[in-house]
Amino acid sequence: MRSPAKNMNNTAGKYHAVRRRKMTVIIILAVLLVVSSIIALGIGSVFIPPVEVLEALLHALFPGLIVAPEGTADIVVNFRMPRILLAVLTGVALAAAGAVMQGLLRNPLVSPFTLGLSSAASFGAALMIVLGPAVFGAAFAGSVAFLGFSFTVKSLLLILSAFLFGWLSVVLVYLISRSRQTSQAVMVLAGVVIGYLFQAGLLALKYVSNDDALREIVTWMMGGMWGATWQTVFILTPVVLICFFLIERKAWDLNTLSSGDDVARNLGINVDRFRIIGLLIVSFAASACLAFTGIIGFVGLMAPHICRMLIGNDYRYLLPASALMGALILLISDTVARVILAPVEIPVGVIMYVLGGIFFLFLITRGHGRYLS
């Protein structure tokens, strides 16, 4: 018969072994993301070896110490780097939003795409493109200075409009899900229907818009990183990072909520308030990114599920792992979209639809329908 002390030591040993394995997965994902970013920076119409990419990055940080090949630093830093960072930020925002939404609503098929957030955010941004010049006049084309950087009023209003409509779609689905008679399948279908309603709004805006606005709206509906600039990165970086750290601090509450609303309430969590604040935070980050990239689906569905298969449901590790996985998926997909039909570039949304559709079918067939119950 084992002594209690020995049993406690065995339990502690198993806990630390599991914790090390989860941290190892997170570290591996971080390393893969860095390596993929360096490779992606070198891929394009002009191929740049990874060594020269590193030299260009170091030259940008320490121009007096490191000398980069002529023209390489400009290509890497000014043209490709903003796109890589936009893909990473968007992947982080969408994947973290998907993981949090699945935990808050306790539904494994919930994501920014299936809840209609992607369509709603794009509708909000398209609405600002079409009506912004008429509503705000000359101020819409102006700019504001902040921390030494110049930002267009248009980009700031796009974020605000995309956030408001994206959050509206999530709130509508949440209100439907509060009904006791509403099943998980109906909740997902409600998100799909809300997404279709905003898609109808997008079609209407396309019909009444001029040629320039129509071109922007069509580009967004396909989803892509064409609008990547350093100004975009500077706007999104604090938004995504602050939202991520705010929700990461609530990882224990998400773990508790997975045991049920009654258990969470008994442990002192205001469930309704926690849900609405959590949805507000992740919707803000996801909507802000989608305002610049357009409709990009399935990242928020794929990344959390893959990470659950690797490290389980503990949100202390699931959130950072999902964020890294989402960034990795979207970065690789965008790189493929740039080079698969070079010199023609296809929208990354096309790649994500293919990958997401295959993965969605995999979830359904693997679970024998239990994911929809």
Side-chain angles (χ1 to χ4, degrees), residues 17 52 57 67 88 97 106 118 130 158 168 191 209 227 249 252 256 259 303 312 316 351 365 369:
E52 294 186 10
L57 294 176
V67 178
V88 170
R106 299 212 310 278
S118 298
V130 176
L158 285 179
L168 176 62
S209 61
R249 294 179 59 189
W252 274 114
T256 304
S259 300
R316 294 176 299 168
I351 304 294
T365 56

Side-chain angles (χ1 to χ4, degrees), residues 232-254:
T232 301
V233 172
F234 288 134
I235 291 173
L236 293 180
T237 299
V239 171
V240 173
L241 292 182
I242 291 173
C243 290
F244 178 80
F245 285 119
L246 285 176
I247 205 65
E248 175 66 24
R249 294 179 59 189
K250 299 294 184 181
W252 274 114
D253 291 345
L254 285 168

Side-chain angles (χ1 to χ4, degrees), residues 329-345:
I329 291 173
L330 191 54
L331 175 60
I332 294 175
S333 298
D334 182 58
T335 304
V336 171
R338 285 195 290 122
V339 302
I340 191 171
L341 295 178
V344 178
E345 180 180 327

Side-chain angles (χ1 to χ4, degrees), residues 72-340:
T72 299
D74 189 48
I75 294 174
V76 171
V77 176
N78 295 326
F79 291 97
R80 295 180 183 174
M81 192 70 174
R83 179 165 184 152
I84 300 302
L85 292 177
L86 179 60
V88 170
L89 289 170
T90 305
V92 168
L94 294 179
V100 172
M101 288 176 176
Q102 291 164 15
L104 290 174
L105 300 178
R106 299 212 310 278
N107 189 319
L109 291 182
V110 167
S111 73
F113 184 71
T114 57
L115 287 187
L117 186 148
S118 298
S119 298
S122 293
F123 170 80
L127 187 67
M128 190 58 62
I129 285 178
V130 176
L131 300 182
V135 174
F136 296 97
F140 189 71
S143 61
V144 294
F146 182 70
L147 296 178
F149 298 102
S150 179
F151 302 101
T152 62
V153 174
K154 177 182 176 180
S155 63
L156 297 177
L157 290 174
L158 285 179
I159 290 181
L160 179 60
S161 180
F163 161 66
L164 291 176
F165 282 94
W167 187 65
L168 176 62
S169 70
V170 175
V171 170
L172 290 175
V173 174
Y174 170 67
L175 292 176
I176 294 173
S177 70
R178 294 185 63 182
S179 173
R180 294 184 178 180
Q181 290 77 29
T182 300
S183 65
Q184 292 183 349
V186 172
M187 183 173 60
V188 174
L189 290 175
V192 173
V193 171
I194 290 172
Y196 282 142
L197 292 176
F198 283 109
Q199 284 279 9
L202 275 171
L203 292 176
L205 290 173
K206 288 172 61 180
Y207 184 77
V208 302
S209 61
N210 57 37
D211 291 342
D212 293 335
L214 178 61
R215 189 178 300 110
E216 282 194 64
I217 294 173
V218 171
T219 301
W220 276 6
M221 292 183 68
M222 292 186 293
M225 304 295 162
W226 301 299
T229 63
W230 277 114
Q231 285 81 2
T232 301
V233 172
F234 288 134
I235 291 173
L236 293 180
T237 299
V239 171
V240 173
L241 292 182
I242 291 173
C243 290
F244 178 80
F245 285 119
L246 285 176
I247 205 65
E248 175 66 24
R249 294 179 59 189
K250 299 294 184 181
W252 274 114
D253 291 345
L254 285 168
N255 287 338
T256 304
L257 192 62
S258 64
S259 300
D261 289 4
D262 293 336
V263 174
R265 289 191 180 96
N266 290 335
L267 292 175
I269 298 175
N270 187 331
V271 175
D272 292 335
R273 181 173 177 270
F274 177 50
R275 277 204 175 103
I276 203 70
I277 291 177
L279 290 173
L280 175 65
I281 292 173
V282 297
S283 297
F284 183 36
S287 299
C289 291
L290 293 174
F292 294 100
T293 64
I295 301 177
I296 296 180
F298 295 108
V299 177
L301 179 67
M302 295 170 59
H305 276 287
I306 294 173
C307 291
R308 283 192 180 95
M309 297 175 189
L310 297 175
I311 63 176
N313 291 312
D314 190 338
Y315 276 89
R316 294 176 299 168
Y317 307 99
L318 180 62
L319 280 176
S322 298
L324 292 170
M325 181 66 74
L328 187 62
I329 291 173
L330 191 54
L331 175 60
I332 294 175
S333 298
D334 182 58
T335 304
V336 171
R338 285 195 290 122
V339 302
I340 191 171

